[in-house]
Amino acid sequence: MAVIVKANDIILRLKSYANPANLAAMDRFGIRTENTYGVSITILMTIAKEAGKDHELAQQLWDSGIHEARILAAMIDEPKMLSDEQLERWVMDIDSWDVCDQVFNRLFRHYPQVQRKAADWCARKEEFVKRAGFVLIAVLAVHDKKAEDKIFVSWLDIIQREASDERNFVKKSVNWALRQIGKRNRSLNQRAIQTAESIRALGGQTCRWIAADALRELTSRKVQDKLSRD
């Protein structure tokens, strides 16, 4: 009962911070504004710090269906309490790219079986589930310093396989995953460039866009200079 009351109090607080002006900006960036108050990430981080880590509270906030409450849930949930059932339930609920990215960057990347989930989700048909798989790859490429190159090489094969998916939120996540792998180290940079060139050879507007955007960054002086220093 106390958790439910606390969740309701937090939702009322979110409503008090509602900012309609932010909703217009969110809409321009392709963020769904249904059940959304326009509360900034900065405010959500403040509330999360005050609330502390709380698995049950996170479930209550997620189940509210409110956009900001779901992002907040990812901020306060306890990684050690994650389960396959929760990951599957939450990923099926996701209906906005920013919620997807926040959940995976802040929470789901800590799940012990996360590499398996990434490969599974990349093969799924649902737009945001598939995006989730590639977002997870991108996030792990940045944060998982202990992961071996071979897992990223296997993901490059998946990236090439799925690169022809024309859906906006999928193709952008495929591109993101490819670029992040290619910035991890010199060896993966060369493999990612080869993958981008293979994707370009597949033809089609989506493949050409993914390849061109990735190659632009991965072959840039900025990235090459950084890799040479690492």
Side-chain angles (χ1 to χ4, degrees), residues 77-84 86-87 107-108 110-111:
D77 206 350
E78 301 174 83
K80 65 182 180 181
M81 299 294 290
L82 292 173
S83 65
D84 251 38
Q86 179 180 340
L87 265 69
L107 180 63
F108 283 179
H110 299 291
Y111 186 58

Side-chain angles (χ1 to χ4, degrees), residues 20-223:
N22 285 346
L23 296 180
M26 293 168 72
D27 187 62
R28 287 196 299 271
F29 283 100
I31 297 173
R32 292 193 59 168
T33 55
E34 184 179 356
N35 294 324
T36 305
Y37 300 138
V39 182
S40 71
I41 291 294
T42 301
I43 292 174
L44 295 181
M45 290 174 66
T46 298
I47 297 173
K49 185 176 181 179
E50 294 172 1
K53 295 296 183 181
D54 190 323
H55 179 67
E56 292 303 320
L57 177 59
Q59 308 313 302
Q60 292 289 338
L61 291 172
W62 184 269
D63 290 342
S64 73
I66 296 168
H67 189 97
E68 289 86 354
R70 286 185 164 174
I71 294 175
L72 185 58
M75 293 177 174
I76 69 172
D77 206 350
E78 301 174 83
K80 65 182 180 181
M81 299 294 290
L82 292 173
S83 65
D84 251 38
E85 186 277 331
Q86 179 180 340
L87 265 69
E88 287 295 334
R89 183 167 62 86
W90 282 28
V91 80
M92 288 299 295
D93 286 341
I94 291 172
D95 60 2
S96 187
W97 68 263
D98 64 320
V99 174
C100 179
D101 297 2
Q102 289 287 337
V103 167
F104 284 87
N105 190 48
R106 295 181 181 276
L107 180 63
F108 283 179
R109 68 181 174 89
H110 299 291
Y111 186 58
Q113 302 299 318
V114 69
Q115 293 182 0
R116 171 179 57 82
K117 301 302 290 187
D120 289 347
W121 284 333
C122 287
R124 293 272 288 273
K125 299 300 183 184
E126 303 95 331
E127 183 174 11
F128 283 105
V129 176
K130 194 168 186 176
R131 178 185 175 86
F134 290 107
V135 167
L136 194 47
I137 290 172
V139 167
L140 292 174
V142 174
H143 294 288
D144 192 348
K145 305 302 183 182
K146 295 182 179 180
E148 297 181 1
D149 282 6
K150 63 182 181 181
I151 185 64
F152 294 101
V153 171
S154 71
W155 284 336
L156 286 173
D157 292 337
I158 293 174
I159 286 170
Q160 182 172 336
R161 185 192 73 200
E162 303 296 338
S164 59
D165 193 316
E166 298 178 353
R167 291 175 294 180
N168 188 49
F169 296 120
V170 174
K171 73 177 185 181
K172 288 186 175 180
S173 64
V174 170
N175 171 266
W176 186 18
L178 177 57
R179 289 185 292 106
Q180 293 306 115
I181 290 175
K183 291 186 289 184
R184 190 171 168 88
N185 59 48
R186 174 68 69 184
S187 175
L188 286 173
N189 177 262
Q190 294 303 309
R191 296 294 293 264
I193 288 172
Q194 292 170 9
T195 299
E197 290 171 343
S198 295
I199 290 172
R200 181 170 57 188
L202 294 174
Q205 184 176 357
T206 296
C207 289
R208 288 195 298 269
W209 176 82
I210 290 172
D213 189 71
L215 287 168
R216 186 180 303 111
E217 181 171 15
L218 296 180
T219 61
S220 68
R221 180 177 295 276
K222 179 180 178 180
V223 169

